[in-house]
Amino acid sequence: MTDTEGLFLHYSAISDVGRIRKDNQDSGYAGPWLLTVCDGVGGAVRGDLASATAVQALRKLDARPSDDLLGQVAGAIHRANDRISELIDEDPALNGTSTTASVLLFDGTKVAVGHLGDSRAYLMRDGELRQLTHDHTFVQSLIDEGRITEEQSRTHPHRNLILKAVDGIRHEEPDLFEVPVQVGDRLFVCSDGACGVLTDDRMADILRTGSPDYAAVEIVRASLEAGSSDNVTCVVAEVVASLPDPPLQPLLVGAAAELPRTLTGDGSTKSRGARGHQSGDTGELDAVPASPDPVEPVDPEAARYAPRPPARFTWLKRLLATAVVLGLAWIALAFAWSWSQSQFYVGVEDGKVTIFRGLNAQIPGVDVAHPYEVSDIDLDNLSEIDADTLTGGIEATDLEDARATVENYADRQDVPDE
């Protein structure tokens, strides 16, 4: 077994808006300890803002982690969710914005994986590619049930429907697990703009060749040539035995990078903090032509995630829901009160044996019983045992049963001679 103590990551990251979309909804980050890709929902609710916000929160993980890797990953995803929730509170028009999140936190011997949505993380070991994450999608549920194949899922009409995401509302629990690594392993994280069009075999062919820089660019290039209509974001890292020389700088790509990443034809890059790439540069691909009044089909990203609360009249729905709950509680209380008033027991009131209507119970601040019939039997005329029994209350099945109990005690009283 290879000694994995003190291993390092040689990493690269790239995000491309693609050939169809005008803005990039993806965000990605690669650093010495952290690899992550977030894919935001498109449309008017600013998926780019969701993914960028999530990555900005997650990138704080990029430091030597503590022993509790899974706890750190879960906490960072929850903080990203809380930050998106704050943005929605500040601007209700953002209600409905969401993002996927695939997070790999490295500690030198293993990676902790946190996952929500349909971005994916893979492990390449000894030339074999293995998918680490499990898609939270409608079509994945069909695959799991054996109703469709992986190939059929790529063209399924509901392939864009995601069941879990970071949305600031539902606070979904991410999938969390750890994977040990060894020298030579390659870690690959991508948005569905890549894995949604490329087969595992095609991605594996690319990941087996060249540096992480080369592999990341080639996968983006292959995705676009395969007809991807989405943004494409790829993060590739190789596990190495020594610190890369020169040391690598963290890479922030996509919507989170403030400026779009633009690659030139000679393999250099204009984006902040990025390194040069070998041949296969996406800069060789034709740019999306500008059009003053483009006619576009309905963007599937606009309906990407499972049904979520509408942006308008949220306060009214909450008010109605509260009213319904209060109404049901009132009905339950009214029913309980009506039932209690059909109950009777025999007790003592002002020294007299008395039939009470209601429950023989004490509830602070609530009168659950009241005197119904007061007899002429004095408690002092009864034995000590009878007096104690009556003071504690004697349950009755109904009013007639209570009256029979009173008559019984009337016969047992010891009336003093006049």
Side-chain angles (χ1 to χ4, degrees):
M1 177 68 70
T2 302
D3 183 7
T4 56
E5 290 296 326
L7 301 181
F8 302 91
L9 293 181
H10 182 189
Y11 53 83
S12 181
I14 183 171
S15 184
D16 196 293
V17 70
R19 290 178 167 178
I20 294 179
R21 300 191 187 282
K22 292 184 176 180
D23 56 355
N24 199 341
Q25 307 287 320
D26 291 355
S27 293
Y29 181 88
W33 309 101
L34 176 70
L35 312 171
T36 185
V37 168
C38 295
D39 180 359
V41 63
V45 290
R46 297 293 305 279
D48 58 335
L49 184 59
S51 69
T53 299
V55 164
Q56 291 292 358
L58 293 169
R59 67 183 296 191
K60 296 178 182 178
L61 287 173
D62 193 20
R64 183 180 292 275
S66 64
D67 292 336
D68 185 15
L69 267 70
L70 293 180
Q72 286 185 265
V73 171
I77 292 175
H78 288 157
R79 285 190 293 275
N81 194 81
D82 291 341
R83 180 56 188 138
I84 291 175
S85 180
E86 292 171 1
L87 293 179
I88 294 172
D89 289 341
E90 294 166 4
D91 184 1
L94 296 176
N95 193 4
T97 191
S98 308
T99 182
T100 69
S102 293
V103 184
L104 274 62
L105 181 62
F106 176 66
D107 72 347
T109 64
K110 60 183 177 296
V111 290
V113 182
H115 172 69
L116 284 168
D118 68 345
S119 300
R120 289 184 181 178
Y122 294 83
L123 172 67
M124 166 77 79
R125 175 172 293 172
D126 298 329
E128 297 296 324
L129 185 66
R130 175 166 66 98
Q131 183 177 332
L132 299 177
T133 54
H134 191 76
D135 292 351
H136 298 136
T137 62
F138 175 69
V139 294
Q140 183 62 54
S141 68
L142 297 181
I143 295 172
D144 295 341
E145 295 168 5
R147 297 167 62 183
I148 65 173
T149 65
E150 177 76 27
E151 187 61 32
Q152 289 171 331
S153 71
R154 299 182 188 280
T155 56
H156 194 280
H158 301 302
R159 62 187 178 277
N160 294 301
L161 183 61
I162 288 186
L163 304 180
K164 280 188 175 184
V166 182
D167 64 4
I169 297 174
R170 293 184 291 182
H171 301 280
E172 302 280 9
E173 289 300 321
D175 294 342
L176 296 168
F177 54 92
E178 293 181 346
V179 179
V181 297
Q182 61 189 36
V183 172
D185 285 351
R186 282 201 169 179
L187 299 165
F188 173 47
V189 192
C190 66
S191 63
D192 69 323
C195 57
V197 296
L198 298 180
T199 65
D200 287 2
D201 288 343
R202 179 69 177 118
M203 291 187 292
D205 286 342
I206 297 173
L207 288 168
R208 293 188 190 105
T209 60
S211 66
D213 279 326
Y214 176 81
V217 171
E218 278 300 305
I219 289 179
V220 171
R221 175 187 177 88
S223 300
L224 298 180
E225 290 182 344
S228 178
S229 61
D230 205 348
N231 314 133
V232 184
T233 299
C234 295
V235 173
V236 179
E238 183 171 348
V239 180
V240 295
S242 58
L243 189 68
D245 185 24
L248 305 179
Q249 296 299 313
L251 296 174
L252 187 65
V253 298
E258 294 184 0
L259 293 176
R261 182 184 178 101
T262 304
L263 298 174
T264 64
D266 59 3
S268 64
T269 177
K270 297 179 181 178
S271 68
R272 192 174 62 243
R275 302 186 302 280
H277 296 271
Q278 301 178 28
S279 63
D281 197 308
T282 56
E284 298 172 8
L285 303 174
D286 294 336
V288 179
S291 175
D293 297 298
V295 178
E296 298 180 349
V298 175
D299 187 349
E301 288 287 313
R304 182 169 170 75
Y305 292 95
R308 51 191 74 248
R312 301 179 62 191
F313 308 120
T314 301
W315 63 271
L316 180 58
K317 289 199 171 184
R318 291 176 180 171
L319 181 62
L320 291 175
T322 302
V324 169
V325 172
L326 292 176
L328 292 174
W330 176 257
I331 291 172
L333 288 173
F335 176 80
W337 174 256
S338 176
W339 174 82
S340 72
Q341 295 310 295
S342 67
Q343 309 302 306
F344 295 90
Y345 71 93
V346 180
V348 178
E349 177 76 7
D350 294 333
K352 298 286 188 180
V353 176
T354 303
I355 296 175
F356 288 84
R357 183 175 187 174
L359 301 178
N360 184 20
Q362 299 293 326
I363 300 178
V366 180
D367 292 330
V368 293
H370 59 274
Y372 185 75
E373 291 181 2
V374 180
S375 74
D376 58 359
I377 305 172
D378 290 322
L379 193 65
D380 293 340
N381 293 338
L382 297 171
S383 68
E384 184 176 345
I385 294 177
D386 287 346
D388 288 343
T389 302
L390 284 164
T391 300
I394 301 173
E395 301 293 338
T397 56
D398 54 27
L399 179 57
E400 291 305 316
D401 186 40
R403 286 172 175 166
T405 299
V406 172
E407 290 296 328
N408 182 42
Y409 277 98
D411 293 341
R412 294 161 61 175
Q413 66 179 327
D414 182 13
V415 181
D417 295 332
E418 294 282 340

